Amino acid sequence: MRIPGLIDPHVHMREPGGEHKEDWDTGTRAALAGGVTMLLAMPNTRPSVTDRETLRSALAAAASKAHCDYAQNLGAGSGNLMDAASLAPYTGALKMYLDQTFGTLKLDNMYDWMRHARNWPAGSPLCVHAEGPSLATAILLAQVYNRPVHLCHISLRSEIELIRAAKERGIPVTCEVTPHHLFLSTADIPSIGLGRSEVRPRLSSPNDVQAMWDNLDVIDCFATDHAPHTLAEKNGENPPPGFPGLESALPLYLTAVSQGRLTMDDVITRCVTNPRRIFHLPEQPETYVEIDPAETWTFSAANTFTRCGWTPYEGYRMTGRVTSVTLRGRVVYKDGKILSTPGTGRNIRPALPE
Ligand SMILES: [Zn+2]
């Protein structure tokens, strides 16, 4: 069965500054193995991508290493207001952090939220990490400044219900949900392990997970929030938040399709059609993923390409598997092997001028 290449609008590549966890080479290999042919990279690297120089170096790393197509997102900081808007054409989206996560990009000053929401071009995507009460603020920014706002990794019943109400009133918000907020809950923490379960937003209650399924029509995108940290870090004193997700996401969706919980159309809409529209992404000609929807197999970190070396889905029985991936007419992944070379992936935005 042939499906379009997936688009993942929320991926952490960790380069620069966290290459022991992942880099553009291993991260985009993982993407292809998971049927993802285009991704947007988040800016909370070390240093964060917040200006022309850091954007240039992130794009240079991507250009030399990426195996799939990509764009690099820019971080909203307190000091890059004017610079950010001028870089809009060359970035995937602006990412604004209203709540704490991994990295240093959390914005505490409400003026900064207001200024970025007003200044960032309305025709360029704005993604917001906002949980609980600050989600209401993010929705209000969309309404007050009459601009699209994409709400990252929604995980709570209250959040998805508020988004439904906002959409019903015509407020221009869209949202994404991660596979771990669809397929895992607090009930899985004992088996995953306490440190390894650290993720932002946290794993939610079974009731919240059910709310995602009950409000599937409100969910615009499935996004992995692939956020690799090594097993040693996850098992250590201060386990950093984040799960790898690129290689397990499509198998989880296909398994849900085999169980009748999702349709293939549900998956394609949220992993291809909607992200392409929301983030103004180009079509990828002659790009597709061959899947065997009936193959049952066991997912294991031992067979993944991510550098982080673990998965919260160890030992999961999956139904449905990626057999090959073709990117712009070239077979880049087949039967568990990456066939592309680093640098095969293209920046889908215009090149940053010298
Ligand atoms: Zn993230």
Side-chain angles (χ1 to χ4, degrees):
M1 182 182 186
R2 181 177 288 190
I3 62 172
L6 269 49
I7 299 170
D8 191 339
H10 193 143
V11 174
H12 297 271
M13 279 297 161
R14 303 302 187 209
E15 183 174 5
E19 290 88 342
H20 65 290
K21 305 171 196 274
E22 198 81 288
D23 69 4
W24 275 96
D25 180 20
T26 56
T28 53
R29 286 174 190 262
L32 289 184
V36 172
T37 56
M38 185 186 292
L39 58 80
L40 302 188
M42 285 300 174
N44 59 332
T45 45
R46 288 182 178 155
S48 301
V49 178
T50 52
D51 60 15
R52 188 171 288 267
E53 278 325 296
T54 47
L55 177 61
R56 191 183 303 286
S57 75
L59 289 173
S64 66
K65 294 185 180 177
H67 292 263
C68 70
D69 293 347
Y70 59 87
Q72 173 65 52
N73 289 350
L74 195 71
S78 50
N80 70 345
L81 194 70
M82 299 317 292
D83 207 23
S86 74
L87 295 171
Y90 315 108
T91 66
L94 183 70
K95 176 74 181 286
M96 187 154 76
Y97 290 84
L98 306 195
D99 288 297
Q100 191 56 55
T101 183
F102 187 71
T104 57
L105 281 171
K106 183 180 178 230
L107 281 182
D108 289 315
N109 188 323
M110 192 164 77
Y111 270 124
D112 289 332
W113 307 353
M114 291 157 61
R115 290 187 185 115
H116 276 295
R118 199 177 54 209
N119 268 38
W120 186 251
S124 295
L126 171 62
C127 306
V128 178
H129 175 153
E131 298 182 39
S134 45
L135 183 80
T137 306
I139 293 172
L140 190 69
L141 291 172
Q143 185 179 38
V144 167
Y145 297 110
N146 188 30
R147 60 147 310 124
V149 170
H150 181 74
L151 305 163
C152 295
H153 43 52
I154 296 310
S155 66
L156 301 177
R157 180 176 288 277
S158 55
E159 294 173 347
I160 197 79
E161 289 182 359
L162 187 65
I163 293 168
R164 175 182 290 283
K167 285 183 169 192
E168 284 169 1
R169 283 155 186 78
I171 300 175
V173 289
T174 52
C175 73
E176 69 189 30
V177 174
T178 70
H180 47 277
H181 293 115
L182 284 168
F183 296 101
L184 298 175
S185 74
T186 47
D188 295 294
I189 292 176
S191 59
I192 297 171
L194 199 58
R196 295 190 205 183
S197 299
E198 282 294 339
V199 66
R200 297 293 177 277
R202 288 187 165 82
L203 290 181
S204 49
S205 72
N207 176 37
D208 289 307
V209 171
Q210 188 56 46
M212 300 303 123
W213 291 94
D214 293 343
N215 292 279
L216 203 59
D217 60 316
V218 181
I219 302 172
D220 298 281
C221 304
F222 295 152
T224 64
D225 195 6
H226 177 81
H229 299 286
T230 65
L231 202 49
E233 291 166 335
K234 295 296 280 186
N235 289 341
E237 279 289 291
N238 279 310
F243 292 164
L246 279 167
E247 291 162 269
S248 44
L250 181 54
L252 288 166
Y253 306 147
L254 294 175
T255 303
V257 170
S258 78
Q259 295 163 342
R261 301 180 76 195
L262 290 174
T263 65
M264 271 316 296
D265 191 50
D266 287 335
V267 177
I268 309 265
T269 301
R270 287 164 186 77
C271 296
V272 184
T273 322
N274 287 347
R276 182 177 287 149
R277 187 191 74 246
I278 292 164
F279 294 93
H280 314 300
L281 303 171
E283 300 261 352
Q284 291 176 292
E286 287 183 81
T287 297
Y288 47 86
V289 178
E290 296 285 353
I291 57 171
D292 179 347
E295 184 177 341
T296 57
W297 58 294
T298 303
F299 192 82
S300 172
N303 304 319
T304 58
F305 290 90
T306 175
R307 188 167 283 149
C308 72
W310 76 284
T311 171
Y313 309 102
E314 186 67 41
Y316 269 49
R317 288 296 287 168
M318 304 285 196
T319 301
R321 189 169 201 165
V322 175
T323 53
S324 75
V325 178
T326 299
L327 176 63
R328 283 180 263 103
R330 227 174 104 188
V331 179
V332 287
Y333 173 86
K334 193 168 171 54
D335 298 331
K337 292 196 171 55
I338 300 289
L339 303 176
S340 56
T341 50
T344 299
R346 289 185 190 163
N347 181 5
I348 53 87
R349 295 294 194 232
L352 184 64
E354 285 304 316

